[in-house]
Amino acid sequence: SIILKSGATLEIDATAGPVNIYLNGIVDAEDGDLEAKNGSAINNASQPTDFAIFSNSTQDIVFKHSSDYKGIVYAPNAHVELKNTAGVYGLIWGNTATIHNSGEFYFDEAIKDKFSSPTDYTVELDSWKDDSIG
């Protein structure tokens, strides 16, 4: 598991090539398998295509208030949550995803080519629901 305390920064240097982190799902992690607490950042100085976190766990992945992330989150069995003013620039691939209040998500279209395969799978928007509209 990875837990960044409030205001912590994890610097990722992908200048020598893509960096991948694999999570197995430690069941006793505090609030999830990956948690970025208030004001923390996973700072990828390279392109979002050069950094990915892969999880095969059902544990939540939580980006808390004012945390930032640049890269790919691939967690098809987990719930991914962006709390108030959390920001993700890249790709979220989860079982479910929730963006609360002023959370922000920007899909980098360069990522859709990262998952090309001979069977022609593509990354595309499957569904969208905006609960803020009455």
Side-chain angles (χ1 to χ4, degrees), residues 26-130:
I26 298 173
V27 241
D28 63 350
E30 186 176 332
D31 285 326
D33 212 21
L34 167 64
E35 179 184 9
K37 291 194 177 200
N38 303 348
S40 63
I42 298 177
N43 186 7
N44 171 13
S46 300
Q47 297 300 313
T49 54
D50 292 334
F51 176 61
I53 293 177
F54 295 93
S55 174
N56 63 358
S57 171
T58 58
Q59 291 276 348
D60 290 353
I61 293 178
V62 182
F63 296 95
K64 289 196 171 179
H65 318 288
S66 299
S67 61
D68 288 311
Y69 178 81
K70 182 179 172 186
I72 298 166
V73 173
Y74 179 82
N77 303 314
H79 175 68
V80 181
E81 186 172 12
L82 279 68
K83 297 206 176 205
N84 311 331
T85 67
V88 171
Y89 181 97
L91 172 76
I92 296 174
W93 189 321
N95 185 29
T96 58
T98 303
I99 302 173
H100 295 281
N101 300 332
S102 297
E104 294 182 357
F105 172 71
Y106 176 80
F107 173 67
D108 186 340
E109 291 191 21
I111 291 174
K112 68 181 179 181
D113 298 327
K114 184 174 178 88
F115 293 103
S116 61
S117 72
T119 54
D120 213 18
Y121 292 112
T122 59
V123 176
E124 58 189 49
L125 181 63
D126 182 50
S127 63
W128 177 264
K129 178 182 177 185
D130 187 346

